[in-house]
Amino acid sequence: MEYAILFLPLIGSLFGYLGRSLSKYFAEILTSLFVSVSAILSIFVFWNGIQNDIYGNYIIFEWISSGSFKANWSINIDPLSSVMLVVVTFVSALVHIYSIGYMSHDPHKPRFMSYLSLFTFSMLALVVSDNFLQLFFGWEGVGLCSYLLIGFWYKKETANNAAIKAFIVNRIGDFGLAIAIFLIFFFFGTINFEDIFQTTSQFVEKKIVFFGFEFNLITLICIFLFIGAMGKSAQFLLHTWLPDAMEGPTPVSALIHAATMVTAGVFLVVRCSPIFEYSPIALNLVTIVGMITAIFAASVALVQNDIKKIVAYSTCSQLGYMFFAAGVGAYHVAMFHLFTHAFFKALLFLGAGSVIHAFKDEQDIRNMGGVRKNLPYTYVFMLLGTLALTGFPFLSGFYSKDAIIEFAYLKNSNLGNYAATIGILTAFLTSIYSWRLFFKVFHGSYNNKIISIKQTHESPMVMLAPLMFLGIGAIFSGYIFKETFIGHHSKEFWQGSIFFLNEIKHDAIPIWFLLITPILVLIAIPISFYFYILKPDVLEEFKNTNKPLYSFLLNKWYIDEIYDKVFVIPAKKIGSFFWKKGDIGIIDKFGPDGISKLVKIISNKTGRLQTGFIYDYAFVMLLGLSILLTYLILK
């Protein structure tokens, strides 16, 4: 069963791509079926773990063995990986089914479905690894697949640029992860998780010199691990690829943001909790970056107009929550939010895809509005996703997001209090921008001047059915699994898959603190309706009187512009110089171009000897004969 979970998506990817010419729906049906079976089996594995405590490490084969270096290809099933299996396969299965309808008019949909399945396999290989090498294989695999899928419409220049940007930015994070793995192997002598985690405490006081500076070994390893996580999970300063990734088809966005790619960074930090727990400095760094990311992305989402980019910045903000939860030592709460977030974020992305489908590929929310009667099912599903994301009482986001804020408060430290405050403020901003999106899409007046409101229509059932399952998860996943994931006996569930050196007790929380976030979330609803539907002129006037602030948020804190000036433009100038002076001026001039030019000159000179006159040829023959006779006589 465990082998089938891992390899069915890979088999589906291969046969779906190779068999794309067999029949019209062969690739769609095969890939969707195989991933769906993998999802069902993952649920069985997860349930078996909860009920019967059935876990294990299934070694497929010995991958590399060289001296003391050994790495297996294995399927490591523990509580942490079983949770990820459900998240990855369940969301992926629904995205596959949804794509059958969404990509129905695309001539290359077999290739698209094949890429989706390969993406799923790469993420599964990552989460079931029992060593850093297999994890790195899956890590690079999801990076490659994201490049292929973001740039799927390769004839579109913006899609190509977005794919390249995602690939390059992730290479920065991947380089950090690679350094961490090198350090681990050099000092620990192994890359197997179990061996590393058991001996980490022996290296707590170990100091090393790195680039002329002395560092604590564990802290240095954790910082480089976190740099890797920052790249994959789009944390502040390495986040710039995530909004641009919206150039890919909407199902790709849902898969990247809900189940694969961006969740890999959170998983890495939680998986390596036995290392991070011994480095307070690294944990503080994780908390600070998570806090900044949460508030940054939420503030930027307030003024974005592309429906997918708003949801993308929402993902970036929610990942910030997960990281600062891990930073304060509440790894299980970070995983709980990752779990619930997968349902409502996939629901929001696929719901946004349904809206885009209805508006014939229009993505600007300013050109929508007033279509709640035309899209009744999409309206309900988007409403559920919005309620869950904002943390509306008793929906999934309420249990997981509020738990993060509560655990940050219970950390009882200055940084924990800052994190809790940022978490509360971010929750309020999340509610504002989420309801802004919802109201401007479905309420108010109809603003699209290209297509009439009568032309907007509900999506087909093949697209709506996945939304229904995700809607159920968005409602009930938090309530059902709260006690299992973060309850008083949650340590028994997580067993050794998450390490708690300084466990935070979830008790003695003031009632005012418990109520403040839900109250702000509820207050944001009428505020949003008033400013975005009833009195939009008030906001327009505010934007006109505060243009610097509005421009600052609209331009995403000018991070991209700073990177362009500091890195991109100088790199292009340096590249242009070496290309013109080095490549063209030296290599081409004295290399292939120089040789060809010399051959051409010689050929032209030689060609002049071919006059076509018999007496010239006779003269040459006589001259040659004279030289030959002279040579023979002198010899």
Side-chain angles (χ1 to χ4, degrees), residues 402-471:
D402 283 29
I404 290 175
I405 298 171
E406 291 164 17
F407 272 82
Y409 174 79
L410 290 170
K411 180 68 174 177
N412 197 27
S413 66
N414 289 334
L415 194 57
N417 291 335
Y418 290 139
T421 304
I422 292 295
I424 293 170
L425 178 59
T426 302
F428 178 70
L429 296 180
T430 300
S431 192
I432 293 290
Y433 71 68
S434 297
W435 289 111
R436 171 180 177 258
L437 183 154
F438 183 79
F439 290 141
K440 289 184 80 69
V441 170
F442 295 105
H443 291 267
S445 58
Y446 185 77
N447 300 311
N448 196 299
K449 297 179 181 179
I450 298 176
I451 61 173
S452 67
I453 192 169
K454 293 181 180 179
Q455 290 179 282
T456 60
H457 57 85
E458 189 59 273
S459 298
M461 187 54 64
V462 71
M463 291 172 63
L464 293 176
L467 295 179
M468 181 184 68
F469 285 103
L470 291 169

Side-chain angles (χ1 to χ4, degrees), residues 3 103 115 143 151 213 243 248 307 319 345 348 353 356 382 427 473 484 517 529 569-570 629:
Y3 295 90
M103 301 293 289
Y115 287 169
F213 297 94
I307 186 172
L319 288 165
K345 188 49 58 69
L348 283 170
I356 294 168
M382 286 290 284
T484 303
T517 305
F529 190 78
I569 295 174
L629 291 173

Side-chain angles (χ1 to χ4, degrees), residues 362-404:
E362 176 61 67
Q363 294 184 199
D364 194 323
I365 61 174
R366 295 172 296 184
N367 298 326
M368 300 177 184
V371 293
R372 64 185 183 279
K373 293 181 180 178
N374 296 56
L375 311 175
Y377 298 111
T378 301
Y379 177 82
V380 171
F381 293 134
M382 286 290 284
L383 176 61
L384 288 175
T386 301
L387 289 169
L389 170 63
T390 58
F392 192 85
F394 310 115
L395 271 73
S396 58
F398 167 74
Y399 292 102
S400 58
K401 187 193 295 182
D402 283 29
I404 290 175

Side-chain angles (χ1 to χ4, degrees), residues 457-499:
H457 57 85
E458 189 59 273
S459 298
M461 187 54 64
V462 71
M463 291 172 63
L464 293 176
L467 295 179
M468 181 184 68
F469 285 103
L470 291 169
I472 294 171
I475 297 171
F476 297 110
S477 62
Y479 175 76
I480 293 174
F481 294 102
K482 178 186 177 183
E483 188 60 33
T484 303
F485 282 20
I486 63 171
H488 291 293
H489 302 290
S490 60
K491 196 172 182 180
E492 298 174 4
F493 166 70
W494 294 110
Q495 298 180 22
S497 63
I498 294 178
F499 181 67

Side-chain angles (χ1 to χ4, degrees), residues 23 61 70 127 137 153 221 284 361 429 490 505 512 573:
S23 68
F61 58 85
K70 296 185 184 298
V127 301
F137 171 85
W153 289 320
I221 289 172
N284 289 342
D361 298 328
L429 296 180
S490 60
K505 297 295 183 183
W512 65 266
K573 287 182 178 178

Side-chain angles (χ1 to χ4, degrees), residues 143-171:
L144 170 64
C145 293
S146 68
Y147 170 80
L148 296 173
L149 286 166
I150 293 169
F152 179 75
W153 289 320
Y154 56 86
K155 293 183 180 179
K156 189 178 175 184
E157 185 179 0
T158 52
N160 273 326
N161 292 339
I164 293 170
K165 187 175 184 179
F167 199 76
I168 292 174
V169 173
N170 270 276
R171 295 291 71 73

Side-chain angles (χ1 to χ4, degrees), residues 5 511 589 591:
I5 292 172
I511 189 68
K589 183 177 180 180

